[in-house]
């Protein structure tokens, strides 16, 4: 049995310790924000925060999550400055990468209150998007930090 907190709520899983965190989130918790993209930790579609750090949940075995605090996109405030900026700047297209981008941006903004464009690029370097060309995503993060879109 693995005990953890997911989006602020206590959760226990009896799945095998080698079960991917991604599968627990999607199948046991019915949290579909984290997506199965590449399954190899290359695309960031499955990104979540574990104890405040960005991780690719497709690479994380459940056995490492004992007493962890996990945040998925469903656990982020719906009307945050970041969410509003993503909408205002047109930073979402098909939606596959959006949850991972939102979590990567959340982690970035927790470390850099007013990130430079280079810091934004670096902070999102583990997340792939095939729709937007990244410019609108970068602009949304800058706006969320107090800049303009």
């Amino acid at each position: 049995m693995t005990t953890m907190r997911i989006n602020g709520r206590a959760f226990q899983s009896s799945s095998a310790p080698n079960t991917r965190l991604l599968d627990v989130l999607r199948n046991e918790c019915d949290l579909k924000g984290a997506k199965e993209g590449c399954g190899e930790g290359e695309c960031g579609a499955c990104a979540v925060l574990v104890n405040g750090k960005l991780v690719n949940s497709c690479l994380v075995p459940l056995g490492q999550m004992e007493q962890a605090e996990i945040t998925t996109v469903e656990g982020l405030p719906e009307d945050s400055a970041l969410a509003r900026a993503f909408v205002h700047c047109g930073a979402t297209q098909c939606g596959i990468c959006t949850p991972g981008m939102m979590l990567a941006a959340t982690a970035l903004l927790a470390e850099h209150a007013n990130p430079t464009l280079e810091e934004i690029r670096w902070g999102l370097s583990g997340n792939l998007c095939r729709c937007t060309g990244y410019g609108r995503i970068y602009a949304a993060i800058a706006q969320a930090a107090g800049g303009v879109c």
Side-chain angles (χ1 to χ4, degrees):
M1 185 76 62
T2 303
T3 302
M4 63 202 100
R5 293 187 66 75
I6 300 174
N7 297 331
R9 294 192 163 146
F11 180 77
Q12 288 187 325
S13 175
S14 57
S15 292
N18 65 343
T19 302
R20 300 181 312 168
L21 176 59
L22 174 63
D23 297 325
V24 171
L25 294 172
R26 291 183 61 81
N27 301 331
E28 292 182 41
C29 302
D30 200 34
L31 296 171
K32 306 296 187 187
K35 307 286 192 281
E36 172 83 47
C38 65
E40 297 176 354
E42 297 292 328
C43 71
C46 66
V48 299
L49 299 176
V50 175
N51 299 325
K53 299 294 182 189
L54 189 68
V55 301
N56 291 319
S57 63
C58 71
L59 298 178
V60 178
L62 178 63
Q64 292 182 356
M65 294 295 95
E66 183 64 36
Q67 301 302 317
E69 182 73 37
I70 299 159
T71 304
T72 69
V73 72
E74 292 91 346
L76 296 178
E78 289 182 26
D79 194 35
S80 67
L82 183 61
R84 287 191 308 273
F86 261 66
V87 171
H88 181 259
C89 296
T92 60
Q93 296 275 324
C94 77
I96 296 295
C97 74
T98 304
M101 291 286 187
M102 295 281 294
L103 287 155
T106 298
L108 172 69
L109 292 171
E111 290 187 28
H112 303 280
N114 191 17
T116 65
L117 178 57
E118 188 61 31
E119 289 168 333
I120 293 171
R121 286 180 174 153
W122 178 254
L124 270 62
S125 63
N127 296 75
L128 300 178
C129 175
R130 292 189 276 169
C131 299
T132 67
Y134 299 95
R136 292 179 180 182
I137 296 168
Y138 298 156
I141 294 166
Q143 180 176 323
V148 294
C149 179

